[in-house]
Structure formats: structure tokens, C-alpha cells
Amino acid sequence: LGEHPWDGEPTRVARSLVRVADAFGGSAAMRRALPWGDEKPLAVHRSRLALAQAAGVVLVDGLTRLGVSAPEHV
């Protein structure tokens, strides 16, 4: 891992990760990212999936910087 503004500040990293997790968990994550039943995939589904993937990348990166293993999926 290269230089990053968070390097050397584990408390700040942890707080940032909590904010990301709270924001994601309280918004788009509470809605279906995938179509239900015979519903056709729409742009909103693709957007929610992209948001979930982006949040996952941020959380995995932050946990890695803290030396914490992240699960492969939740």
C-alpha cells in the first residue's frame, strides 16, 4: 500500500470507516440493489450495486490499513 492521507492516524481511519458504514447502512443499502422476481434491471439497480461495491472497497481498504481482516462478503 502506498502513501495515503490516513496513514499513521488509526483513530481517524476508524472514525471514517464508521461514518461510511453508517451512511451506507442508513440509505441505499436498505433498498434492493437487485431486481425482485420478474422485475427488469433498471439504472437504479445498477447505481445501488455500484454504491455497495464502492462502499465495500472503501471499508476493505480502511480495515486493511488498520491491520484488520475484512470478510469476503457480508
Side-chain angles (χ1 to χ4, degrees), residues 24-49:
F24 179 72
S27 62
M30 305 320 289
R31 300 180 188 258
R32 290 191 319 272
L34 301 175
W36 184 261
D38 292 336
E39 184 181 13
K40 292 185 178 185
L42 301 173
V44 70
H45 297 114
R46 290 187 292 278
S47 297
R48 289 174 185 159
L49 185 56

Side-chain angles (χ1 to χ4, degrees), residues 2-4 9-10 13 17 20-23 26-27 37-38 45-47 52-53 61 63 67-69:
E3 294 275 334
H4 192 279
E9 298 185 45
V13 173
L17 294 178
V20 169
D22 285 347
S27 62
D38 292 336
H45 297 114
R46 290 187 292 278
S47 297
Q53 290 171 327
D61 180 61
L63 290 172
V68 176
S69 297

Side-chain angles (χ1 to χ4, degrees), residues 6 9-22 66:
W6 286 352
E9 298 185 45
T11 302
R12 187 172 171 190
V13 173
R15 279 192 225 134
S16 295
L17 294 178
V18 169
R19 284 194 299 270
V20 169
D22 285 347
L66 291 173

